[in-house]
């Protein structure tokens, strides 16, 4: 079993993404954490419109689009709760990741979830 699992830009492509989350739960130790990244659907909706909205917000290969609430809800379905994670950015891209982990997601969503111990 693992302390951490990273799921990087995968969930938006899987019709049955909850199955992956349930499997990841089994891989994790009792207090294990998942760090996940997905495109931020809310940001795309705010900044794009018309034809561009359809093409960029909903690319053909994205079967799921998440915003912070829907991503949190998906993890809650398999007994994960949001948790804070912090990393020191090493490049410009990671600045966006740090802000998202702290709750402000201007681009993609980068979130950390903690496994809720079995009852």
């Amino acid at each position: 079993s693992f302390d951490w699992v990273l799921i990087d830009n995968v969930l938006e492509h899987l019709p049955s993404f909850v199955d992956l989350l349930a499997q990841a739960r089994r891989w994790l130790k009792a207090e294990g954490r998942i760090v996940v990244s997905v495109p931020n659907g809310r940001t795309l909706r705010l900044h794009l419109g018309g034809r561009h909205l359809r093409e960029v917000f909903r690319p053909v290969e994205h079967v799921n689009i998440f915003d912070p609430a829907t991503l949190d809800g998906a993890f809650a379905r398999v007994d994960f709760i949001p948790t804070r994670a912090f990393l020191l950015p090493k490049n410009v891209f990671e600045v966006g990741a740090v802000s998202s982990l702290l709750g402000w997601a201007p681009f993609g969503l980068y979130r950390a979830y903690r496994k809720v111990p079995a009852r």
Side-chain angles (χ1 to χ4, degrees), residues 41-80:
R42 181 180 297 162
T43 300
L44 293 170
R45 259 184 262 136
L46 288 173
H47 298 293
L48 301 172
R51 187 177 63 118
H52 298 290
L53 178 65
R54 288 188 300 278
E55 292 172 5
V56 177
F57 173 66
R58 191 66 173 202
V60 122
E61 68 274 9
H62 289 185
V63 295
N64 301 297
I65 299 294
F66 298 97
D67 61 31
T70 59
L71 190 60
D72 288 349
F75 275 86
R77 289 169 56 187
V78 289
D79 291 326
F80 282 94

Side-chain angles (χ1 to χ4, degrees), residues 5-15 17 20-21 34-41 44 56-57 59 61-66 71 75 93 96-97 100 107-111:
V5 169
L6 172 65
I7 302 174
D8 186 11
N9 287 290
V10 173
L11 299 181
E12 66 272 17
H13 300 282
L14 301 176
F17 68 88
L20 173 64
L21 300 182
I34 288 181
V35 174
V36 63
S37 68
V38 295
N40 186 350
L44 293 170
V56 177
F57 173 66
E61 68 274 9
H62 289 185
V63 295
N64 301 297
I65 299 294
F66 298 97
L71 190 60
F75 275 86
F93 174 76
S100 183
F107 307 109
L109 293 172
Y110 305 88
R111 308 279 271 206

Side-chain angles (χ1 to χ4, degrees), residues 20-38:
L20 173 64
L21 300 182
Q23 181 63 38
R25 183 174 169 68
R26 289 188 288 274
W27 295 333
L28 286 168
K29 292 180 180 177
E31 293 291 322
R33 288 174 167 69
I34 288 181
V35 174
V36 63
S37 68
V38 295

